[in-house]
Amino acid sequence: MKTALITGATSGIGRSTAIRFAKEGFRIILCGRRKERLEELKKELSVETEVQILNFDVRKREDVFHSIESLPGDFRHIDILINNAGNAHGLDPIQSGSMDDWDAMLDINVKGLLYVSKAILPGMMERKSGHIINIGSTAGKEVYPNGNVYCASKHAVDAINQGMRIDLNGNGIRVGAINPGLVHTEFSDVRFKGDSEKAEKVYQGFKALQPEDIADIIHFVVTRPYHVNIADLTVMPTAQATSTIVSKD
Ligand code: NDP
Ligand code: 8X3
């Protein structure tokens, strides 16, 4: 039975991936800050598989390491790491952007991903096997108006994904990124700080990707034969051509 650790499992893409992995018989470690949601999901998925929860903020280095070191028995042998935790905070021109938003995006999307990877890599190196999937974004492939620092954080994920693959080459560890376009999750609620009307508008007038669509792709990627590494995959709704070109009713 393979063990997968999923960051950002309380919502959206991470939650759907956990549900899909449980159905497919993976042992799962659910991570996130919202403890109640983790406990609820653990209860739901424990019917199908073995589940552990780790309640930490990816920004807090020591908590990341303590949490991962606290894992019991078979859960310590992590085969698959889904680096998914992250969000956009704000959608403002650079000249009026909030520095707190900038800190949040760089600390969570970039440094948080690095801390979690650093805590898990020694085990993968020792076993000479493992699979790391970094959730990037189309925002890591192009820059759109007012996306500035979020786009920078996802361009960093793109660079880290390539860097990891280069540096880990020869160690039997697969590294790849999945870069989604518009996915209907809590992403825009977070970006617009709870303004649900604004958030819902983002997904109106076209069929956005659903978190289950990304979970399906993640499942496909991790179930390829071991010599096959999907290095970089971009997926958009059919209605989307670029970050700014979306065909709406
Ligand atoms: P959601 O807001 O639905 O989920 C975000 C998840 O990240 C939550 O589980 C949240 O958990 C977790 N998270 C956020 N901050 C922290 C933190 N400081 N420490 C630990 N966990 C944290 O959004 P999505 O599912 O859409 O986003 C998941 C990933 O997909 C992100 O990296 C995002 O950038 C990326 N993405 C999303 C797209 C979209 O259109 N939705 C498109 C392209 C990429 P909690 O708050 O409980 O800690
Ligand atoms: C999320 C997609 O277009 O809002 O990464 O940046 S977008």
Side-chain angles (χ1 to χ4, degrees):
M1 186 189 255
K2 288 216 164 150
T3 302
L5 183 143
I6 304 167
T7 66
T10 55
S11 167
I13 294 169
R15 186 175 191 279
S16 290
T17 304
I19 293 169
R20 178 64 187 269
F21 276 16
K23 270 202 185 75
E24 304 286 348
F26 291 74
R27 184 184 289 116
I28 332 176
I29 303 158
L30 307 168
C31 308
R33 289 168 302 176
R34 285 168 288 182
K35 200 168 179 215
E36 277 174 24
R37 286 197 185 195
L38 290 174
E39 280 166 352
E40 248 172 60
L41 189 59
K42 179 182 175 183
K43 207 167 152 193
E44 186 184 324
L45 302 186
S46 292
V47 182
E48 295 176 299
T49 189
E50 294 172 37
V51 185
Q52 278 281 324
I53 57 176
L54 293 179
N55 180 212
F56 63 86
D57 184 325
V58 295
R59 283 174 290 197
K60 298 189 177 153
R61 242 195 233 201
E62 285 181 6
D63 292 358
V64 170
F65 281 83
H66 283 150
S67 300
I68 290 167
E69 278 159 18
S70 75
L71 284 166
D74 289 340
F75 285 96
R76 299 178 73 80
H77 180 137
I78 295 166
D79 301 289
I80 299 163
L81 163 61
I82 312 290
N83 270 326
N84 164 75
N87 277 113
H89 294 264
L91 183 67
D92 302 297
I94 198 84
Q95 60 274 24
S96 57
S98 146
M99 288 193 281
D100 287 341
D101 284 345
W102 296 351
D103 283 346
M105 290 185 277
L106 296 172
D107 288 349
I108 299 167
N109 303 357
V110 184
K111 288 161 73 184
L113 178 149
L114 287 169
Y115 298 159
V116 174
S117 305
K118 177 97 174 155
I120 288 172
L121 267 169
M124 289 186 173
M125 293 287 289
E126 203 181 300
R127 294 188 296 274
K128 294 244 176 275
S129 81
H131 197 162
I132 300 175
I133 295 186
N134 297 308
I135 303 298
S137 170
T138 45
K141 300 292 184 183
E142 56 173 321
V143 177
Y144 54 82
N146 305 328
N148 45 66
V149 178
Y150 177 65
C151 294
S153 76
K154 289 299 181 178
H155 275 70
V157 172
D158 188 34
I160 291 165
N161 181 62
Q162 293 179 53
M164 276 185 179
R165 200 167 50 248
I166 293 166
D167 294 347
L168 295 171
N169 182 250
N171 286 285
I173 300 170
R174 294 192 275 188
V175 179
I178 296 172
N179 306 291
L182 292 156
V183 191
H184 196 169
T185 62
E186 293 177 18
F187 178 86
S188 291
D189 291 299
V190 175
R191 169 168 254 173
F192 297 120
K193 304 173 197 308
D195 184 338
S196 49
E197 211 173 302
K198 228 172 168 179
E200 279 312 301
K201 252 194 173 155
V202 174
Y203 310 107
Q204 272 167 12
F206 73 108
K207 176 76 177 168
L209 292 170
Q210 303 302 303
E212 295 79 11
D213 297 323
I214 308 302
D216 193 35
I217 290 167
I218 293 174
H219 179 254
F220 174 80
V221 169
V222 302
T223 50
R224 293 313 85 209
Y226 208 75
H227 67 286
V228 179
N229 180 39
I230 297 181
D232 193 60
L233 187 158
T234 296
V235 51
M236 288 185 267
T238 304
Q240 182 176 15
T242 70
S243 294
T244 49
I245 302 175
V246 183
S247 168
K248 296 197 177 192
D249 302 336

